[in-house]
Amino acid sequence: MVRGVYLHIPFCHQICNYCDFNKFFFHNQPVDEYIESLGKEMQLWEEQLKGAQIETIFIGGGTPTSLSESQLERLLNLIHQFLPMERVVEFSSEANPDELTFEKMQLMRQYGVNRLSMGVQTFDQDLLKVLGRTHSNEHVYGVIENAKKIDFPSISIDLMYGLPNQTMEQWQNSLQQAYSLNIPHISAYSLLVEPKTIFYNLMSKGKLSLPGEDLEADMYGYLLDEMKKQGYNQYEISNFAKEGKESRHNLIYWDNDEYIGLGAGAHGYANAIRYSNHGPLKKYMHMIDQNEKPIMMHKVVTSNEMMEEEMFLGLRKNVGVSIDRFNHRYSETIQNVYGKELEELQQKGFIIIENNHVKLTRRGRFVGNEVFQYFLQ
């Protein structure tokens, strides 16, 4: 059963040095036409959406807030026109601090957006320049203040650590400034240098100086300890929330449940099929004009692959993988399928079995990718 919808806005006024998402410089792009194509794609999913109990909608990018007010309003109108909104409890949008005006926020609230997710990444001005970010700390403070005035029920920021030449002191200062905002959700990710990014090109030339593994591990350990002190519950490897403010949309991914992905380069999982849309705008929009879903690749997920995904996605959550849910969902016991792996991981101290759930230990969280490999054949 489909639980969520993701919509991709692939436009940016500035391309960040670390970003590998499908994106295009805003200037001279067919932005208005693209928004209309998104509306037509929603219509193409009408049959599947009819019976769906959509709980969450997430507008991501790219940069959704790169849209003008009129473009943003058109997008929100189309969402209300074609998506079943009756059961939606979380309606999120990503945002850049220097593009999210008071008027855009008012517009979002008017159309039911109740969660903002802002890409802050760091509060160190020098590191912001290294990342290719264009906002300042003042932009962040202003947006948070305005969001509280407009009464956004949930506000989240993203932070990054393991950045080029980043020191522990810089990381600690960024976290302290994040806590001072008094917001209910913080995500914190280590930098991954992905192909087709500026950072990747620099690294391949030996021109990117990154903190070593030990310092990065120390940064993560500090993050875990400080978040707990500040009253944030870690509910996933990289995500921390005050009570009841967890990201319900992202939990759909980690619960290994189904969602529809709309837009150029978007990914989705529906009817036991994982798929991705064409990324180039012309190809995406041409297929929509032909009344075809713009799917580039699709794969039927086998029962074995579903079980693998249940494990490595579910273990990202602090609550872990429910043994009862696994056994019921796959008509197989988790011990029959992964008994040997679970025993070995327990002996290494990477997982525990507690309250009928398989969970990462604190030690296991530091080597999550190594743990996940145990469940991939």
Side-chain angles (χ1 to χ4, degrees), residues 291-316:
N291 236 25
E292 291 180 55
K293 288 179 183 172
I295 293 174
M296 175 186 70
M297 179 278 292
H298 72 274
K299 183 186 185 305
V300 177
V301 183
T302 67
S303 179
N304 282 343
E305 289 167 336
M306 286 182 189
M307 289 189 285
E308 290 175 3
E309 291 173 354
E310 188 83 11
M311 296 304 296
F312 73 74
L313 291 170
L315 280 170
R316 293 190 64 88

Side-chain angles (χ1 to χ4, degrees), residues 10-11 22-24 28-31 33-35 37-38 40 263-265 277-296:
F11 306 112
N22 192 47
K23 75 278 181 187
F24 306 93
N28 288 334
Q29 296 294 347
V31 180
E33 294 88 340
Y34 177 81
I35 293 170
S37 292
L38 262 178
K40 291 174 186 174
N277 281 351
H278 284 281
L281 295 182
K282 281 187 179 178
K283 181 67 176 175
Y284 167 81
M285 293 165 67
H286 175 72
M287 289 191 72
I288 296 283
D289 287 342
Q290 300 301 308
N291 236 25
E292 291 180 55
K293 288 179 183 172
I295 293 174
M296 175 186 70

Side-chain angles (χ1 to χ4, degrees), residues 109-355:
R109 283 301 288 133
Q110 181 186 331
Y111 281 88
V113 176
N114 56 17
R115 185 174 185 272
L116 289 176
S117 178
M118 280 200 299
V120 172
Q121 316 314 357
T122 177
F123 285 91
D124 186 283
Q125 298 298 297
D126 292 332
L127 285 174
L128 282 173
K129 290 174 187 172
V130 170
L131 293 174
R133 303 291 290 176
T134 55
H135 72 265
S136 67
N137 290 349
E138 285 66 34
H139 285 124
V140 177
Y141 305 144
V143 166
I144 297 292
E145 184 181 345
N146 285 335
K148 289 178 179 179
K149 281 180 187 173
I150 298 172
D151 197 26
F152 264 92
S154 192
I155 305 166
S156 176
I157 64 169
D158 289 350
L159 296 175
M160 297 175 74
Y161 60 94
L163 302 177
N165 295 312
Q166 187 181 28
T167 65
M168 176 63 88
E169 185 181 5
Q170 286 172 314
W171 176 231
Q172 291 170 338
N173 288 340
S174 277
L175 284 176
Q176 291 308 313
Q177 293 202 59
Y179 302 141
S180 73
L181 298 173
N182 191 26
I183 55 175
H185 191 284
I186 297 173
S187 300
Y189 304 98
S190 64
L191 173 68
L192 291 176
V193 180
E194 302 282 8
K196 300 180 182 177
T197 64
I198 293 171
F199 275 177
Y200 186 84
N201 293 336
L202 289 172
M203 188 173 71
S204 64
K205 295 173 184 174
K207 295 182 178 178
L208 192 70
S209 176
L210 298 173
E213 286 184 9
D214 288 346
L215 178 53
E216 190 171 310
D218 288 344
M219 289 176 172
Y220 185 60
Y222 181 82
L223 170 74
L224 299 186
D225 293 337
E226 283 301 304
M227 284 290 181
K228 191 172 183 180
K229 285 182 191 173
Q230 297 291 333
Y232 288 88
N233 171 50
Q234 183 186 22
Y235 68 99
E236 190 267 348
I237 283 179
S238 302
N239 284 270
F240 306 82
K242 297 293 177 73
E243 178 115 17
K245 295 297 185 179
E246 298 82 3
S247 168
R248 294 181 64 149
H249 184 82
N250 286 339
L251 280 167
I252 292 173
Y253 304 150
W254 302 320
D255 286 341
N256 198 26
D257 285 338
E258 295 192 342
Y259 61 96
I260 289 172
L262 303 169
H267 294 249
Y269 180 34
N271 305 316
I273 295 171
R274 289 201 180 273
Y275 69 90
S276 59
N277 281 351
H278 284 281
L281 295 182
K282 281 187 179 178
K283 181 67 176 175
Y284 167 81
M285 293 165 67
H286 175 72
M287 289 191 72
I288 296 283
D289 287 342
Q290 300 301 308
N291 236 25
E292 291 180 55
K293 288 179 183 172
I295 293 174
M296 175 186 70
M297 179 278 292
H298 72 274
K299 183 186 185 305
V300 177
V301 183
T302 67
S303 179
N304 282 343
E305 289 167 336
M306 286 182 189
M307 289 189 285
E308 290 175 3
E309 291 173 354
E310 188 83 11
M311 296 304 296
F312 73 74
L313 291 170
L315 280 170
R316 293 190 64 88
K317 301 178 295 181
N318 264 33
V319 72
V321 176
S322 165
I323 293 174
D324 287 343
R325 172 181 151 117
F326 184 101
N327 296 348
H328 174 74
R329 196 173 200 184
Y330 303 107
S331 301
E332 278 271 20
T333 71
I334 200 168
Q335 282 296 336
N336 279 349
V337 183
Y338 294 120
K340 180 184 172 186
E341 289 83 357
L342 295 176
E343 185 178 346
E344 189 173 337
L345 287 167
Q346 281 181 287
Q347 287 174 355
K348 288 188 172 186
F350 292 161
I351 65 166
I352 56 170
I353 297 177
E354 182 179 80
N355 299 326

Side-chain angles (χ1 to χ4, degrees), residues 18-139:
Y18 55 86
C19 180
D20 71 328
F21 292 116
N22 192 47
K23 75 278 181 187
F24 306 93
F25 277 115
F26 193 95
H27 189 59
N28 288 334
Q29 296 294 347
V31 180
D32 295 303
E33 294 88 340
Y34 177 81
I35 293 170
E36 297 307 316
S37 292
L38 262 178
K40 291 174 186 174
E41 189 183 5
M42 292 180 220
Q43 288 178 277
L44 292 173
W45 282 94
E46 188 175 12
E47 283 305 308
Q48 286 88 341
L49 287 166
K50 263 183 190 171
Q53 296 184 2
I54 301 299
E55 301 168 26
T56 70
I57 296 172
F58 193 104
I59 308 173
T63 317
T65 48
S66 67
L67 302 180
S68 68
E69 283 176 50
S70 60
Q71 289 165 341
L72 182 61
E73 183 163 24
R74 178 59 180 156
L75 173 65
L76 293 167
N77 260 311
L78 288 168
I79 289 170
H80 277 266
Q81 185 177 347
F82 295 118
L83 298 185
M85 304 294 293
E86 302 81 19
R87 296 175 182 267
V88 173
V89 291
E90 182 184 275
F91 189 173
S92 305
S93 178
E94 290 181 345
N96 268 3
D98 53 342
E99 295 174 344
L100 188 53
T101 63
F102 190 80
E103 291 74 22
K104 286 181 185 178
M105 276 192 276
Q106 284 183 314
L107 194 61
M108 288 177 172
R109 283 301 288 133
Q110 181 186 331
Y111 281 88
V113 176
N114 56 17
R115 185 174 185 272
L116 289 176
S117 178
M118 280 200 299
V120 172
Q121 316 314 357
T122 177
F123 285 91
D124 186 283
Q125 298 298 297
D126 292 332
L127 285 174
L128 282 173
K129 290 174 187 172
V130 170
L131 293 174
R133 303 291 290 176
T134 55
H135 72 265
S136 67
N137 290 349
E138 285 66 34
H139 285 124

